[in-house]
Structure formats: C-alpha cells, structure tokens
C-alpha cells in the first residue's frame, strides 16, 4: 500500500531540488512515461518533467514549495494542496495536485492553480 503523504513529500522535494539532485528525485519518483498537466503546460516523460520543474524554479527563484494540510488518497490516487512562497510569508501561489500512482511511483500529475500572482 502506498504511503501517500511520503509520496507527496518526495514530490514537493523534487520541485525544491536543483541540478542532479532534482533529476535523481524525478527518476526515483516518476514512472518512465509519467505525464504532468497543469494550466501552464503539459509534458510527458522524465526529461520533460525535469525541464518543466527547472523552468518553474528559475521563474520563482528563492521561493519554496511546501505541503499545506493533509494528503488524502485512496486506491491509486492522492490529492493535496501546496503553497509556493518565501519562508514565513504569505504564499505567492497556491495549488492543488492530484497524483495517479502506479507501483508506488507517480504515473500522472493533474495540477490546478487556486491562487496566482495578478
């Protein structure tokens, strides 16, 4: 049985990681043909997921992703809310992600943005 909280924590860690550390987390966390979709883009495969994460990190340099609230899951699906912002400050971005899990790895991410900068 998948530990959805641990999976979500590793997912957020991959967003916050840089360089080869990010790639190692992505390789460990995602299936080879994983997909990622949110309002800003849709990519498939670890290479493109890594590029997508890196682009976001550059755009929001100095900010960190954090889990906000509990992680909920059943069968092969997990959902959770995350914040992006400077430590101790009001989050700049708030999102909600749904992970589809396959053999304890992320096969698909469906991301939603609840709060974005104006």
């Amino acid at each position: 049985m998948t530990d959805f909280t641990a999976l979500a924590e590793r997912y957020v860690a991959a967003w916050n990681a840089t360089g080869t550390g990010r790639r190692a987390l992505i390789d460990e966390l995602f299936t080879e043909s994983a997909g990622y979709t949110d309002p800003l883009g849709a990519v498939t495969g670890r290479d493109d997921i890594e590029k997508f994460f890196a682009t976001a990190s550059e755009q929001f340099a100095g900010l960190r992703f954090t889990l906000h609230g509990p992680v909920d899951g059943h069968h092969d699906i997990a959902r959770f809310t995350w914040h992006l912002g400077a430590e101790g400050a009001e989050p700049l971005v708030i999102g909600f992600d749904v992970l589809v899990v396959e053999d304890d790895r992320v096969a698909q991410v469906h991301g939603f943005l609840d709060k974005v900068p104006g």
Side-chain angles (χ1 to χ4, degrees), residues 10-97:
R10 290 190 354 246
Y11 172 78
V12 168
W15 275 100
N16 288 325
T18 59
T20 58
R22 174 184 289 134
R23 182 57 196 229
L25 286 170
I26 287 171
D27 286 346
E28 172 193 312
L29 182 63
F30 288 91
T31 63
E32 212 170 305
S33 60
Y36 178 94
T37 305
D38 74 13
L40 303 176
V43 297
T44 302
R46 293 178 187 155
D47 289 343
D48 286 344
I49 290 170
E50 179 183 17
K51 290 174 193 169
F52 193 86
F53 282 24
T55 299
S57 290
E58 291 169 11
Q59 182 179 4
F60 296 107
L63 303 180
R64 298 203 38 90
F65 287 90
T66 56
L67 284 176
H68 182 75
V71 176
D72 185 27
H74 62 83
H75 294 85
D76 62 352
I77 302 169
R79 66 178 180 161
F80 54 89
T81 299
W82 51 264
H83 288 177
L84 174 66
E87 192 167 332
E90 186 71 22
L92 182 64
V93 181
I94 297 174
F96 177 90
D97 285 0

